[in-house]
Amino acid sequence: TQLLEQSPQFLSIQEGENLTVYCNSSSVFSSLQWYRQEPGEGPVLLVTVVTGGEVKKLKRLTFQFGDARKDSSLHITAAQPGDTGLYLCAGATSSNTGKLIFGQGTTLQVKP
Amino acid sequence: DAGITQSPRYKITETGRQVTLMCHQTWSHSYMFWYRQDLGHGLRLIYYSAAADITDKGEVPDGYVVSRSKTENFPLTLESATRSQTSVYFCASSERVGILNYGYTFGSGTRLTVV
């Protein structure tokens, strides 16, 4: 069974701090995605990374795909209360099923 | 606005009753998925569909039935609801070209309580 492990599970920080969330697996993924979910809503896609070593930036969020395509990280610079939410990583396998494997999620709370 | 719509948003049902959760998407995406989200378990795949009339089991299919007679609709039926099926259910759709998965678009979820 392919698993994606996220760490940490919970993170509570003050506004302005930096943080990194990790997503690790022993499996290789053809692509990896990050989603953010707010209470009472479905997850919303933030980014897709495809190439090993790829780095993508979305304002204060930086996403990196590991060279071996087994892991990824999300770094937030100068976190704001609006960044609060559940962050999920999800990996696509190369088996052409269209399915994604989701990590358990990281709950981030940014206090003003 | 086009999108993916789930109904109802909230549902309370009794143990043993049949209940159907609806999912409708307006993009004509090929793939559709049903997930349940529970504390401590994350998102778990119940069933998915690659196209109309093609469905397959996910990680936790027992007690659920799906159908997909039209591309845009993917209803999920709990044949005889149990308390363990109390959860938040999400429908999602996606398009895919080659090996590149363009990501899922999720509905807003149905919060189901079985009493």
Tab-separated table of all heavy atoms in Angstrom, chain B residues 7-53:
chain	number	residue	atom	x	y	z
B	7	SER	N	-25.305	17.553	-2.927
B	7	SER	CA	-26.525	17.756	-2.158
B	7	SER	C	-26.941	16.452	-1.491
B	7	SER	O	-26.672	15.370	-2.020
B	7	SER	CB	-27.658	18.254	-3.070
B	7	SER	OG	-27.940	17.297	-4.090
B	8	PRO	N	-27.542	16.537	-0.292
B	8	PRO	CA	-27.709	17.759	0.493
B	8	PRO	C	-26.399	18.162	1.173
B	8	PRO	O	-25.429	17.404	1.140
B	8	PRO	CB	-28.758	17.336	1.529
B	8	PRO	CG	-28.461	15.879	1.745
B	8	PRO	CD	-28.046	15.332	0.415
B	9	ARG	N	-26.330	19.324	1.794
B	9	ARG	CA	-25.147	19.725	2.568
B	9	ARG	C	-25.122	19.024	3.922
B	9	ARG	O	-24.056	18.686	4.425
B	9	ARG	CB	-25.128	21.238	2.804
B	9	ARG	CG	-24.704	22.063	1.635
B	9	ARG	CD	-23.281	21.774	1.162
B	9	ARG	NE	-22.273	21.836	2.198
B	9	ARG	CZ	-21.560	22.914	2.500
B	9	ARG	NH1	-21.770	24.044	1.863
B	9	ARG	NH2	-20.619	22.865	3.445
B	10	TYR	N	-26.294	18.819	4.488
B	10	TYR	CA	-26.415	18.139	5.785
B	10	TYR	C	-27.542	17.120	5.703
B	10	TYR	O	-28.563	17.377	5.072
B	10	TYR	CB	-26.727	19.143	6.899
B	10	TYR	CG	-25.708	20.262	7.021
B	10	TYR	CD1	-25.885	21.460	6.349
B	10	TYR	CD2	-24.572	20.098	7.806
B	10	TYR	CE1	-24.951	22.478	6.450
B	10	TYR	CE2	-23.630	21.115	7.917
B	10	TYR	CZ	-23.831	22.294	7.234
B	10	TYR	OH	-22.898	23.300	7.331
B	11	LYS	N	-27.304	15.976	6.373
B	11	LYS	CA	-28.331	14.934	6.358
B	11	LYS	C	-28.227	14.142	7.645
B	11	LYS	O	-27.132	13.733	8.046
B	11	LYS	CB	-28.119	14.002	5.155
B	11	LYS	CG	-29.065	12.823	5.084
B	11	LYS	CD	-30.445	13.227	4.635
B	11	LYS	CE	-31.358	12.017	4.500
B	11	LYS	NZ	-32.744	12.424	4.135
B	12	ILE	N	-29.393	13.951	8.283
B	12	ILE	CA	-29.467	13.066	9.433
B	12	ILE	C	-30.386	11.924	9.046
B	12	ILE	O	-31.494	12.162	8.552
B	12	ILE	CB	-30.000	13.801	10.676
B	12	ILE	CG1	-29.080	14.964	11.049
B	12	ILE	CG2	-30.129	12.832	11.852
B	12	ILE	CD1	-29.598	15.827	12.187
B	13	THR	N	-29.930	10.702	9.243
B	13	THR	CA	-30.735	9.555	8.896
B	13	THR	C	-30.647	8.513	10.005
B	13	THR	O	-29.752	8.565	10.859
B	13	THR	CB	-30.288	8.949	7.553
B	13	THR	OG1	-31.250	7.997	7.102
B	13	THR	CG2	-28.944	8.245	7.688
B	14	GLU	N	-31.567	7.572	9.957
B	14	GLU	CA	-31.578	6.534	10.980
B	14	GLU	C	-30.841	5.290	10.503
B	14	GLU	O	-30.784	5.003	9.303
B	14	GLU	CB	-33.022	6.175	11.340
B	14	GLU	CG	-33.761	7.317	12.013
B	14	GLU	CD	-35.203	6.942	12.314
B	14	GLU	OE1	-35.717	5.991	11.690
B	14	GLU	OE2	-35.820	7.614	13.166
B	15	THR	N	-30.327	4.561	11.445
B	15	THR	CA	-29.658	3.296	11.145
B	15	THR	C	-30.581	2.388	10.347
B	15	THR	O	-31.764	2.264	10.666
B	15	THR	CB	-29.251	2.592	12.445
B	15	THR	OG1	-28.367	3.446	13.176
B	15	THR	CG2	-28.544	1.283	12.163
B	16	GLY	N	-30.043	1.801	9.279
B	16	GLY	CA	-30.811	0.871	8.472
B	16	GLY	C	-31.481	1.492	7.262
B	16	GLY	O	-31.927	0.774	6.354
B	17	ARG	N	-31.576	2.795	7.227
B	17	ARG	CA	-32.227	3.463	6.093
B	17	ARG	C	-31.267	3.587	4.916
B	17	ARG	O	-30.048	3.637	5.081
B	17	ARG	CB	-32.725	4.839	6.493
B	17	ARG	CG	-33.904	4.803	7.452
B	17	ARG	CD	-34.633	6.123	7.458
B	17	ARG	NE	-35.774	6.093	8.360
B	17	ARG	CZ	-37.022	5.988	7.942
B	17	ARG	NH1	-37.301	5.891	6.668
B	17	ARG	NH2	-37.996	5.987	8.825
B	18	GLN	N	-31.852	3.646	3.747
B	18	GLN	CA	-31.063	3.904	2.546
B	18	GLN	C	-31.004	5.414	2.319
B	18	GLN	O	-32.019	6.116	2.481
B	18	GLN	CB	-31.702	3.227	1.328
B	18	GLN	CG	-30.902	3.415	0.044
B	18	GLN	CD	-31.576	2.770	-1.157
B	18	GLN	OE1	-32.488	3.334	-1.764
B	18	GLN	NE2	-31.138	1.573	-1.502
B	19	VAL	N	-29.827	5.891	1.971
B	19	VAL	CA	-29.684	7.322	1.708
B	19	VAL	C	-28.773	7.514	0.509
B	19	VAL	O	-27.808	6.756	0.326
B	19	VAL	CB	-29.142	8.055	2.952
B	19	VAL	CG1	-27.773	7.519	3.353
B	19	VAL	CG2	-29.066	9.545	2.722
B	20	THR	N	-29.118	8.484	-0.321
B	20	THR	CA	-28.322	8.773	-1.517
B	20	THR	C	-27.779	10.185	-1.456
B	20	THR	O	-28.530	11.138	-1.209
B	20	THR	CB	-29.157	8.591	-2.791
B	20	THR	OG1	-29.537	7.210	-2.894
B	20	THR	CG2	-28.348	8.961	-4.033
B	21	LEU	N	-26.486	10.304	-1.680
B	21	LEU	CA	-25.818	11.598	-1.764
B	21	LEU	C	-25.574	11.904	-3.235
B	21	LEU	O	-25.075	11.048	-3.975
B	21	LEU	CB	-24.491	11.570	-0.994
B	21	LEU	CG	-24.543	11.026	0.437
B	21	LEU	CD1	-23.176	11.143	1.087
B	21	LEU	CD2	-25.606	11.695	1.250
B	22	MET	N	-25.902	13.132	-3.613
B	22	MET	CA	-25.834	13.504	-5.022
B	22	MET	C	-24.590	14.323	-5.320
B	22	MET	O	-24.103	15.082	-4.474
B	22	MET	CB	-27.072	14.298	-5.421
B	22	MET	CG	-28.388	13.604	-5.129
B	22	MET	SD	-28.516	12.007	-5.957
B	22	MET	CE	-28.616	12.559	-7.660
B	23	CYS	N	-24.086	14.153	-6.530
B	23	CYS	CA	-22.923	14.913	-6.985
B	23	CYS	C	-23.110	15.231	-8.470
B	23	CYS	O	-23.372	14.315	-9.270
B	23	CYS	CB	-21.638	14.129	-6.775
B	23	CYS	SG	-20.161	15.027	-7.335
B	24	HIS	N	-22.971	16.502	-8.814
B	24	HIS	CA	-23.162	16.945	-10.190
B	24	HIS	C	-22.033	17.896	-10.570
B	24	HIS	O	-21.726	18.827	-9.829
B	24	HIS	CB	-24.508	17.665	-10.324
B	24	HIS	CG	-24.745	18.263	-11.670
B	24	HIS	ND1	-25.159	17.513	-12.748
B	24	HIS	CD2	-24.615	19.540	-12.116
B	24	HIS	CE1	-25.281	18.310	-13.797
B	24	HIS	NE2	-24.963	19.530	-13.446
B	25	GLN	N	-21.397	17.630	-11.750
B	25	GLN	CA	-20.345	18.533	-12.215
B	25	GLN	C	-20.676	19.014	-13.623
B	25	GLN	O	-21.319	18.304	-14.395
B	25	GLN	CB	-18.968	17.862	-12.185
B	25	GLN	CG	-18.905	16.521	-12.899
B	25	GLN	CD	-18.083	16.515	-14.155
B	25	GLN	OE1	-17.682	17.558	-14.673
B	25	GLN	NE2	-17.794	15.321	-14.659
B	26	THR	N	-20.239	20.231	-13.916
B	26	THR	CA	-20.632	20.873	-15.175
B	26	THR	C	-19.490	20.976	-16.182
B	26	THR	O	-19.659	21.581	-17.233
B	26	THR	CB	-21.167	22.295	-14.903
B	26	THR	OG1	-20.145	23.048	-14.243
B	26	THR	CG2	-22.405	22.250	-14.024
B	27	TRP	N	-18.306	20.403	-15.864
B	27	TRP	CA	-17.182	20.514	-16.781
B	27	TRP	C	-17.049	19.355	-17.765
B	27	TRP	O	-16.175	19.361	-18.605
B	27	TRP	CB	-15.867	20.583	-15.998
B	27	TRP	CG	-15.731	21.792	-15.168
B	27	TRP	CD1	-15.599	23.076	-15.599
B	27	TRP	CD2	-15.668	21.843	-13.748
B	27	TRP	NE1	-15.466	23.922	-14.525
B	27	TRP	CE2	-15.498	23.193	-13.379
B	27	TRP	CE3	-15.736	20.878	-12.737
B	27	TRP	CZ2	-15.405	23.600	-12.048
B	27	TRP	CZ3	-15.633	21.281	-11.424
B	27	TRP	CH2	-15.476	22.619	-11.101
B	28	SER	N	-17.848	18.308	-17.603
B	28	SER	CA	-17.683	17.076	-18.386
B	28	SER	C	-16.339	16.404	-18.111
B	28	SER	O	-15.748	15.790	-19.008
B	28	SER	CB	-17.825	17.359	-19.892
B	28	SER	OG	-19.109	17.838	-20.182
B	29	HIS	N	-15.838	16.553	-16.879
B	29	HIS	CA	-14.629	15.837	-16.492
B	29	HIS	C	-14.865	14.332	-16.581
B	29	HIS	O	-15.919	13.829	-16.225
B	29	HIS	CB	-14.217	16.189	-15.062
B	29	HIS	CG	-13.554	17.515	-14.948
B	29	HIS	ND1	-13.322	18.122	-13.729
B	29	HIS	CD2	-13.058	18.359	-15.879
B	29	HIS	CE1	-12.702	19.277	-13.932
B	29	HIS	NE2	-12.541	19.436	-15.225
B	30	SER	N	-13.830	13.623	-17.027
B	30	SER	CA	-13.964	12.173	-17.153
B	30	SER	C	-14.040	11.497	-15.791
B	30	SER	O	-14.828	10.589	-15.572
B	30	SER	CB	-12.774	11.603	-17.931
B	30	SER	OG	-12.725	12.117	-19.232
B	31	TYR	N	-13.151	11.912	-14.886
B	31	TYR	CA	-13.005	11.213	-13.614
B	31	TYR	C	-13.866	11.842	-12.524
B	31	TYR	O	-13.934	13.067	-12.395
B	31	TYR	CB	-11.550	11.239	-13.146
B	31	TYR	CG	-10.624	10.390	-13.967
B	31	TYR	CD1	-10.017	10.885	-15.117
B	31	TYR	CD2	-10.352	9.075	-13.593
B	31	TYR	CE1	-9.177	10.096	-15.874
B	31	TYR	CE2	-9.502	8.280	-14.343
B	31	TYR	CZ	-8.922	8.801	-15.482
B	31	TYR	OH	-8.077	8.020	-16.229
B	32	MET	N	-14.491	10.996	-11.735
B	32	MET	CA	-15.204	11.451	-10.550
B	32	MET	C	-14.915	10.513	-9.391
B	32	MET	O	-14.644	9.315	-9.604
B	32	MET	CB	-16.715	11.556	-10.798
B	32	MET	CG	-17.064	12.619	-11.842
B	32	MET	SD	-18.823	12.957	-11.969
B	32	MET	CE	-19.109	13.943	-10.482
B	33	PHE	N	-14.938	11.078	-8.182
B	33	PHE	CA	-14.500	10.334	-7.003
B	33	PHE	C	-15.428	10.638	-5.820
B	33	PHE	O	-15.967	11.727	-5.713
B	33	PHE	CB	-13.081	10.761	-6.599
B	33	PHE	CG	-12.072	10.698	-7.720
B	33	PHE	CD1	-11.931	11.760	-8.608
B	33	PHE	CD2	-11.280	9.580	-7.881
B	33	PHE	CE1	-11.010	11.712	-9.641
B	33	PHE	CE2	-10.345	9.522	-8.914
B	33	PHE	CZ	-10.217	10.588	-9.794
B	34	TRP	N	-15.546	9.673	-4.933
B	34	TRP	CA	-16.190	9.876	-3.653
B	34	TRP	C	-15.196	9.549	-2.548
B	34	TRP	O	-14.581	8.476	-2.539
B	34	TRP	CB	-17.410	8.985	-3.485
B	34	TRP	CG	-18.663	9.558	-4.055
B	34	TRP	CD1	-19.314	9.194	-5.185
B	34	TRP	CD2	-19.442	10.615	-3.487
B	34	TRP	NE1	-20.427	9.957	-5.376
B	34	TRP	CE2	-20.531	10.844	-4.346
B	34	TRP	CE3	-19.319	11.417	-2.337
B	34	TRP	CZ2	-21.499	11.817	-4.093
B	34	TRP	CZ3	-20.280	12.382	-2.090
B	34	TRP	CH2	-21.344	12.575	-2.965
B	35	TYR	N	-15.048	10.504	-1.619
B	35	TYR	CA	-14.192	10.329	-0.453
B	35	TYR	C	-15.022	10.542	0.812
B	35	TYR	O	-16.005	11.282	0.812
B	35	TYR	CB	-13.051	11.357	-0.426
B	35	TYR	CG	-11.926	11.078	-1.383
B	35	TYR	CD1	-11.992	11.512	-2.700
B	35	TYR	CD2	-10.793	10.398	-0.961
B	35	TYR	CE1	-10.949	11.267	-3.584
B	35	TYR	CE2	-9.744	10.147	-1.836
B	35	TYR	CZ	-9.834	10.589	-3.140
B	35	TYR	OH	-8.797	10.345	-3.999
B	36	ARG	N	-14.580	9.924	1.882
B	36	ARG	CA	-15.078	10.277	3.200
B	36	ARG	C	-13.914	10.821	4.017
B	36	ARG	O	-12.760	10.381	3.855
B	36	ARG	CB	-15.749	9.107	3.911
B	36	ARG	CG	-14.915	7.888	4.127
B	36	ARG	CD	-15.688	6.809	4.876
B	36	ARG	NE	-15.959	7.178	6.259
B	36	ARG	CZ	-16.716	6.487	7.099
B	36	ARG	NH1	-17.295	5.352	6.693
B	36	ARG	NH2	-16.918	6.879	8.344
B	37	GLN	N	-14.229	11.800	4.864
B	37	GLN	CA	-13.191	12.436	5.661
B	37	GLN	C	-13.555	12.315	7.127
B	37	GLN	O	-14.595	12.794	7.567
B	37	GLN	CB	-13.014	13.907	5.284
B	37	GLN	CG	-11.821	14.562	5.961
B	37	GLN	CD	-11.580	15.968	5.448
B	37	GLN	OE1	-12.500	16.724	5.185
B	37	GLN	NE2	-10.303	16.337	5.279
B	38	ASP	N	-12.705	11.650	7.867
B	38	ASP	CA	-12.908	11.435	9.292
B	38	ASP	C	-11.648	11.836	10.033
B	38	ASP	O	-10.535	11.642	9.541
B	38	ASP	CB	-13.193	9.953	9.578
B	38	ASP	CG	-14.343	9.412	8.763
B	38	ASP	OD1	-15.485	9.739	9.103
B	38	ASP	OD2	-14.097	8.674	7.787
B	39	LEU	N	-11.840	12.349	11.263
B	39	LEU	CA	-10.693	12.711	12.086
B	39	LEU	C	-9.800	11.499	12.287
B	39	LEU	O	-10.274	10.411	12.612
B	39	LEU	CB	-11.157	13.227	13.446
B	39	LEU	CG	-11.586	14.702	13.490
B	39	LEU	CD1	-12.155	15.036	14.849
B	39	LEU	CD2	-10.413	15.611	13.156
B	40	GLY	N	-8.523	11.699	12.071
B	40	GLY	CA	-7.564	10.617	12.279
B	40	GLY	C	-7.374	9.710	11.080
B	40	GLY	O	-6.465	8.876	11.072
B	41	HIS	N	-8.232	9.862	10.061
B	41	HIS	CA	-8.115	8.995	8.877
B	41	HIS	C	-7.892	9.780	7.596
B	41	HIS	O	-7.639	9.205	6.553
B	41	HIS	CB	-9.372	8.147	8.712
B	41	HIS	CG	-9.533	7.105	9.767
B	41	HIS	ND1	-8.838	5.911	9.762
B	41	HIS	CD2	-10.308	7.094	10.876
B	41	HIS	CE1	-9.185	5.208	10.815
B	41	HIS	NE2	-10.064	5.893	11.514
B	42	GLY	N	-8.008	11.069	7.645
B	42	GLY	CA	-7.821	11.853	6.430
B	42	GLY	C	-8.916	11.568	5.414
B	42	GLY	O	-10.040	11.208	5.754
B	43	LEU	N	-8.565	11.700	4.156
B	43	LEU	CA	-9.489	11.435	3.050
B	43	LEU	C	-9.308	9.990	2.590
B	43	LEU	O	-8.219	9.596	2.187
B	43	LEU	CB	-9.213	12.381	1.885
B	43	LEU	CG	-9.715	13.803	2.016
B	43	LEU	CD1	-9.035	14.714	1.000
B	43	LEU	CD2	-11.226	13.843	1.829
B	44	ARG	N	-10.397	9.251	2.603
B	44	ARG	CA	-10.340	7.856	2.154
B	44	ARG	C	-11.260	7.674	0.959
B	44	ARG	O	-12.430	8.054	1.013
B	44	ARG	CB	-10.726	6.904	3.297
B	44	ARG	CG	-9.708	6.863	4.422
B	44	ARG	CD	-10.078	5.824	5.468
B	44	ARG	NE	-11.246	6.224	6.247
B	44	ARG	CZ	-11.821	5.459	7.154
B	44	ARG	NH1	-11.356	4.235	7.399
B	44	ARG	NH2	-12.884	5.902	7.824
B	45	LEU	N	-10.728	7.048	-0.066
B	45	LEU	CA	-11.466	6.869	-1.312
B	45	LEU	C	-12.486	5.743	-1.175
B	45	LEU	O	-12.151	4.624	-0.788
B	45	LEU	CB	-10.491	6.569	-2.452
B	45	LEU	CG	-11.089	6.384	-3.839
B	45	LEU	CD1	-11.736	7.686	-4.323
B	45	LEU	CD2	-10.012	5.946	-4.826
B	46	ILE	N	-13.732	6.035	-1.520
B	46	ILE	CA	-14.798	5.038	-1.440
B	46	ILE	C	-14.976	4.361	-2.801
B	46	ILE	O	-14.869	3.139	-2.920
B	46	ILE	CB	-16.129	5.687	-1.011
B	46	ILE	CG1	-15.962	6.438	0.309
B	46	ILE	CG2	-17.225	4.633	-0.888
B	46	ILE	CD1	-17.160	7.303	0.676
B	47	TYR	N	-15.273	5.139	-3.812
B	47	TYR	CA	-15.433	4.667	-5.182
B	47	TYR	C	-14.948	5.742	-6.132
B	47	TYR	O	-14.913	6.920	-5.786
B	47	TYR	CB	-16.908	4.381	-5.501
B	47	TYR	CG	-17.373	2.981	-5.229
B	47	TYR	CD1	-18.003	2.672	-4.027
B	47	TYR	CD2	-17.202	1.969	-6.172
B	47	TYR	CE1	-18.437	1.380	-3.763
B	47	TYR	CE2	-17.638	0.675	-5.922
B	47	TYR	CZ	-18.246	0.387	-4.715
B	47	TYR	OH	-18.680	-0.887	-4.464
B	48	TYR	N	-14.594	5.331	-7.328
B	48	TYR	CA	-14.268	6.296	-8.354
B	48	TYR	C	-14.779	5.808	-9.700
B	48	TYR	O	-15.144	4.635	-9.867
B	48	TYR	CB	-12.765	6.576	-8.399
B	48	TYR	CG	-11.894	5.438	-8.851
B	48	TYR	CD1	-11.374	5.403	-10.139
B	48	TYR	CD2	-11.559	4.411	-7.969
B	48	TYR	CE1	-10.566	4.369	-10.548
B	48	TYR	CE2	-10.748	3.367	-8.375
B	48	TYR	CZ	-10.244	3.358	-9.658
B	48	TYR	OH	-9.434	2.318	-10.069
B	49	SER	N	-14.769	6.743	-10.657
B	49	SER	CA	-15.275	6.433	-11.985
B	49	SER	C	-14.405	7.126	-13.019
B	49	SER	O	-14.111	8.319	-12.892
B	49	SER	CB	-16.723	6.916	-12.107
B	49	SER	OG	-17.154	6.873	-13.450
B	50	ALA	N	-13.971	6.380	-14.014
B	50	ALA	CA	-13.116	6.948	-15.059
B	50	ALA	C	-13.935	7.508	-16.224
B	50	ALA	O	-13.411	8.274	-17.038
B	50	ALA	CB	-12.149	5.892	-15.578
B	51	ALA	N	-15.193	7.109	-16.305
B	51	ALA	CA	-16.058	7.577	-17.392
B	51	ALA	C	-17.461	7.063	-17.099
B	51	ALA	O	-17.667	6.254	-16.179
B	51	ALA	CB	-15.577	7.051	-18.743
B	52	ALA	N	-18.428	7.505	-17.871
B	52	ALA	CA	-19.790	7.013	-17.700
B	52	ALA	C	-19.791	5.498	-17.828
B	52	ALA	O	-19.110	4.925	-18.686
B	52	ALA	CB	-20.710	7.646	-18.735
B	53	ASP	N	-20.530	4.853	-16.941
B	53	ASP	CA	-20.692	3.404	-16.903
B	53	ASP	C	-19.434	2.644	-16.515
B	53	ASP	O	-19.396	1.408	-16.643
B	53	ASP	CB	-21.210	2.865	-18.252
B	53	ASP	CG	-22.600	3.397	-18.584
B	53	ASP	OD1	-23.416	3.503	-17.647
B	53	ASP	OD2	-22.846	3.720	-19.752
